[in-house]
Amino acid sequence: MTRTDETAPREAAPVAKLSMLTMTGMVVGSMVGAGVFSLPRRFAQETGVAGSLIAWSIAGVGMLMLAFVFQMLANRKPELDAGVYAYAKAGFGQFLGFFSAIGYWASAGMGLVFYWVFIMSTIGAVAPALGDGDSLLAIGISSIGLWGFFFLIRRGIKEAAVINRIVTVAKLVPIIVFILLCLFVLKPEVFAENWGGADYAGSLFDQVTGTMLVTVFVFLGVEGASVYSRHAKRRADVGKATILGFLSVFAIFASVTLVSYGVLPMGEIAQLRQPSMAGVLAAAVGPWGAWFVSIGLVVSVLGAYLAWSLMAAEVLFVAAKDNDMPRFLSRSNAADVPVPALLMTAIFVQVILVITYFSHDAFNLALDLTSALTLIPFFLVACYALKLVITRETYGDAPRGWGRETTIAVLATLYAAYLIFAAGVTFVLLSFIIYAPATVLFVMARREQGRRVFTGRELIIVAVAVIGAVTGIVALAAGWISI
């Protein structure tokens, strides 16, 4: 980090080229993380088989529309790199683009914290000193792992991507084995008893509603291929990788949830220790099943950690290249790795890891903020797609797909808006607590360029963010909201 030749800006740094298979692995790797291993308990706490089928249908269609949006924008706007940030900026200006970049980056950072907490909590089942993943020993081990990954990724994005592809294959094996073994021992009578849900589940509407944010969390990463699209061998591969990765992961998530209902009554599944997949498989095949799943979880989370680290750093790097972040974040080394952006991500994760020691519930703190910080960036991406079809921009030479893409954009926008509504005011306020202080980076970038810091419209957005942040802090302090 101290060598100036490694972090100097490069006008023509060699860009590693990734195949569609590798980018598909990135999408799968970023989505199949800790979430899938917690699905049995999270769903059983809310709903039964019928509610699960409806919930996955809604989430599947909604997230598929978002995946189609990323595919559509990759084809319509191939010149835009780091999709989540670039699309928001192109559609709604620099400051909202900056907000989207910060939200996505902070969400990825919180996700990385969640991964370390979940790994330590899993190992804590046999090593009590690790507690629930937030003890001093757990934080110390997590910190060592954090900086180990930093130096690994620093060596080169192509090298890290190859490792991610290997890990993606390795971590899918225990999940697929889990599905097959549970199908083999599935008890039809138990599955039937779980059909309508337990007494505590409430109405079918309430059951389905209660699972929506869980599905959002596990699908985070669907935008994976678009984020580092500048590395693609062919731009058309970006959209294909997004759809192929989504469909593969959707089948896995739904299967893991449904087969669990054929092993144990949902009331018992709801009481299992996380990762609940371990408890389900242990009930199906014996104690070795818990060990098998726990090992798979560690491999899975480390794979997702690698993919999310790459995406987080890439967004900061591209935003800095576009003069929306301070110049120091636009530097990369000879291996085309944005080292300062990667370092800033690692520092953020390290700070939050320390904070988890003082948190009442580190697991849910990281999980909730990961989901909340991603909703607004996704909403802006969907709105940009809607804006393109309304204005018919880019459709002059290719109007044939306008009707289909209008339907996709409308459905994706409605779904993203519904998710923000379902999340509630609490998560919006928590997001503002991150967004408002981060505005300092935007101010630094504008001053470096000798430009006016905020336009009139941008100043209004800043004021809303600051008021939201102050309200969120007061609400937390007063106990009106909790994390």
Side-chain angles (χ1 to χ4, degrees):
M1 284 303 301
T2 57
R3 292 175 56 190
T4 56
D5 62 297
E6 287 189 344
T7 56
R10 298 174 185 269
E11 295 297 326
V15 179
K17 295 300 180 181
L18 306 177
S19 67
M20 186 181 75
L21 179 61
T22 299
M23 286 191 296
T24 300
M26 292 287 190
V27 176
V28 174
S30 58
M31 281 196 285
V32 182
V36 64
F37 292 90
S38 66
L39 282 176
R41 174 179 170 177
R42 295 297 296 268
F43 264 76
Q45 289 176 328
E46 302 291 346
T47 188
V49 178
S52 295
L53 289 171
I54 296 173
W56 282 119
S57 297
I58 294 173
V61 172
M63 281 296 178
L64 181 60
M65 292 303 103
L66 282 175
F68 278 143
V69 161
F70 281 106
Q71 181 187 45
M72 162 190 163
L73 294 177
N75 294 330
R76 293 284 174 186
K77 291 288 185 177
E79 72 278 8
L80 297 179
D81 291 321
V84 176
Y85 147 76
Y87 298 147
K89 177 184 177 182
F92 308 104
Q94 281 189 308
F95 193 60
L96 281 180
F98 168 83
F99 253 41
S100 182
I102 285 297
Y104 181 80
W105 169 77
S107 172
M110 293 303 304
L112 299 178
V113 173
F114 173 81
Y115 289 151
W116 286 121
V117 171
F118 204 10
I119 288 177
M120 294 299 107
S121 176
T122 300
I123 301 175
V126 293
L130 297 177
D132 292 326
D134 54 1
S135 68
L136 286 177
L137 179 60
I139 293 172
I141 295 175
S142 297
S143 299
I144 293 173
L146 162 67
W147 293 104
F149 268 96
F150 168 77
F151 288 110
L152 170 66
I153 300 172
R154 185 171 176 263
R155 296 185 59 183
I157 187 169
K158 188 172 184 178
E159 185 174 342
V162 171
I163 293 174
N164 182 79
R165 182 164 56 182
I166 295 172
V167 171
T168 297
V169 174
K171 72 184 179 181
L172 287 177
V173 172
I175 298 174
I176 294 173
V177 169
F178 169 87
I179 295 171
L180 294 176
L181 288 177
C182 287
L183 280 174
F184 183 76
V185 303
L186 188 142
K187 304 171 186 176
E189 66 278 8
V190 175
F191 190 82
E193 290 175 2
N194 288 331
W195 179 263
D199 296 337
Y200 59 81
S203 68
L204 185 60
F205 176 80
D206 291 337
Q207 292 179 41
V208 173
T209 302
T211 64
M212 282 296 98
L213 286 183
V214 179
T215 61
V216 172
F217 179 78
V218 296
F219 276 124
L220 294 181
V222 66
E223 73 291 348
S226 72
V227 172
Y228 28 82
S229 54
R230 72 189 182 98
H231 299 280
K233 287 182 179 178
R234 297 190 310 157
R235 297 299 301 216
D237 288 344
V238 176
K240 294 177 182 178
T242 299
I243 301 303
L244 182 59
F246 170 82
L247 293 176
S248 301
V249 171
F250 173 75
I252 291 172
F253 290 165
S255 297
V256 166
T257 304
L258 294 173
V259 298
S260 299
Y261 286 117
V263 177
L264 291 169
M266 62 176 287
E268 294 184 25
I269 299 175
Q271 299 300 319
L272 292 174
R273 176 189 174 96
Q274 294 287 20
S276 51
M277 262 181 64
V280 172
L281 192 58
V285 300
W288 71 266
W291 284 95
F292 185 71
V293 169
S294 296
I295 293 173
L297 178 139
V298 174
V299 174
S300 177
V301 169
L302 292 179
Y305 187 95
L306 178 59
W308 277 55
S309 295
L310 289 169
M311 288 191 291
E314 187 73 5
V315 170
L316 291 180
F317 174 78
V318 174
K321 282 289 187 182
D322 288 345
N323 297 318
D324 295 323
M325 293 279 185
R327 291 194 188 104
F328 76 91
L329 292 172
S330 68
R331 299 168 183 165
S332 61
N333 63 10
D336 192 37
V337 176
V339 176
L342 188 65
L343 177 62
M344 182 172 164
T345 302
I347 292 173
F348 175 76
V349 174
Q350 181 67 78
V351 170
I352 301 299
L353 276 174
V354 174
I355 292 176
T356 62
Y357 179 74
F358 304 97
S359 170
H360 175 69
D361 189 343
F363 185 95
N364 284 322
L365 169 66
L367 188 152
D368 291 343
L369 282 179
T370 300
S371 299
L373 289 163
T374 312
L375 297 182
I376 291 177
F378 276 12
F379 177 69
L380 291 174
V381 171
C383 286
Y384 179 52
L386 185 61
K387 180 180 179 181
L388 288 185
V389 297
I390 290 175
T391 61
R392 291 181 178 265
E393 182 182 346
T394 76
Y395 288 90
D397 298 328
R400 182 174 299 177
W402 182 84
R404 171 181 174 273
E405 292 180 355
T406 297
T407 301
I408 290 172
V410 169
L411 290 177
T413 302
L414 290 175
Y415 177 66
Y418 166 70
L419 291 178
I420 294 175
F421 171 78
V425 176
T426 295
F427 293 113
V428 174
L429 293 178
L430 291 176
S431 297
F432 280 138
I433 294 176
I434 301 292
Y435 286 131
T439 304
V440 172
L441 293 173
F442 188 80
V443 173
M444 290 172 60
R446 285 288 175 92
R447 287 182 174 175
E448 287 176 349
Q449 301 160 42
R451 298 172 55 189
R452 179 182 175 184
V453 176
F454 296 114
T455 65
R457 187 179 69 172
E458 290 171 346
L459 198 58
I460 294 174
I461 300 173
V462 172
V464 171
V466 171
I467 292 172
V470 172
T471 303
I473 293 172
V474 172
L476 283 172
W480 300 336
I481 63 175
S482 58
I483 53 178

